[in-house]
Amino acid sequence: WKKLENIEIDSDQIITQSSLPLDITDCRDRIFEMFGWIHGDGWFTKTIGISFNNQDGDFEIKDEYVKIFREYFGVTCNPLRDDSVSLQLQTEKTECMNKALSMGFVPNRAYLKELPTTFNKYSLNEQRSFLRGLFSADGTIRGNQMNQIYFSSNSEKLIYQVQIVLL
């Protein structure tokens, strides 16, 4: 057994409860990770945005996700906030909103967030990547042996949907 921090992407496999190998090399679709992050630490209401908080350790992934967000949605504007505490980037362009809608995003407030309506149509790798981003944003690992995985959200519906997906 290895601690999560010691798992190597090109050489290790995760064995699930059903004893089927989950090859972590398949989880490289960073766009779907970014979608997951948006569902955790972002928003999709009248605008779509992504947020990072330095106090949560988010800045480790910030530069990569900001680059993907800018490229995918064609965002060139300055961030809403960019200081030593947080970075927030958003767009309200119609074409960006339509792109998010086409990926199954449902515009809602935080307490009403849900999985994308097209989540079940994503490939297995895309689903894994989405969940990786979501858990990176709103999950944590705890316990004496770092073997307890937690996920939190203001949205009961999102928590329930994630629970079902993980069964």
Side-chain angles (χ1 to χ4, degrees):
W1 292 95
K2 289 185 178 182
K3 287 185 175 182
L4 184 60
E5 63 203 30
N6 297 329
I7 291 177
E8 296 178 24
I9 288 184
D10 291 329
S11 64
D12 291 323
Q13 289 185 337
I14 298 172
I15 306 301
T16 64
Q17 197 169 16
S18 64
S19 299
L20 297 173
L22 173 64
D23 184 354
I24 61 175
T25 61
D26 291 340
C27 297
R28 294 195 179 189
D29 191 341
R30 303 302 264 181
I31 290 173
F32 284 86
E33 278 187 32
M34 180 202 56
F35 291 161
W37 187 279
I38 290 170
H39 276 72
D41 281 351
W43 61 92
F44 182 52
T45 53
K46 294 179 181 177
T47 63
I48 186 165
I50 193 164
S51 179
F52 305 90
N53 185 327
N54 192 27
Q55 296 171 343
D56 291 345
D58 294 355
F59 276 28
E60 296 170 10
I61 194 72
K62 169 186 64 96
D63 293 337
E64 186 173 352
Y65 283 173
V66 165
K67 180 181 179 204
I68 295 167
F69 185 87
R70 286 186 180 282
E71 288 175 3
Y72 185 80
F73 289 111
V75 175
T76 57
C77 63
N78 291 328
L80 295 172
R81 182 173 178 175
D82 187 6
D83 55 32
S84 62
V85 176
S86 70
L87 181 135
Q88 296 176 344
L89 184 63
Q90 80 170 13
T91 182
E92 56 190 32
K93 290 191 211 172
T94 303
E95 61 268 23
C96 299
M97 302 304 280
N98 289 338
K99 210 170 192 182
L101 287 168
S102 75
M103 294 305 299
F105 283 41
V106 178
N108 269 327
R109 309 276 302 164
Y111 67 95
L112 296 172
K113 283 183 183 179
E114 60 186 89
L115 287 177
T117 58
T118 56
F119 182 83
N120 291 327
K121 295 180 182 179
Y122 293 176
S123 73
L124 186 55
N125 290 338
E126 292 165 347
Q127 289 179 2
R128 289 174 180 161
S129 294
F130 180 93
L131 291 172
R132 178 189 290 185
L134 181 62
F135 274 81
S136 293
D138 280 349
T140 187
I141 299 174
R142 297 182 191 154
N144 292 337
Q145 298 176 353
M146 301 301 283
N147 60 354
Q148 298 170 359
I149 300 171
Y150 290 83
F151 173 70
S152 65
S153 174
N154 287 331
S155 170
E156 288 183 31
K157 183 172 185 174
L158 180 60
I159 291 171
Y160 177 75
Q161 289 174 322
V162 168
Q163 213 174 14
I164 297 299
V165 166
L166 294 176
L167 290 178

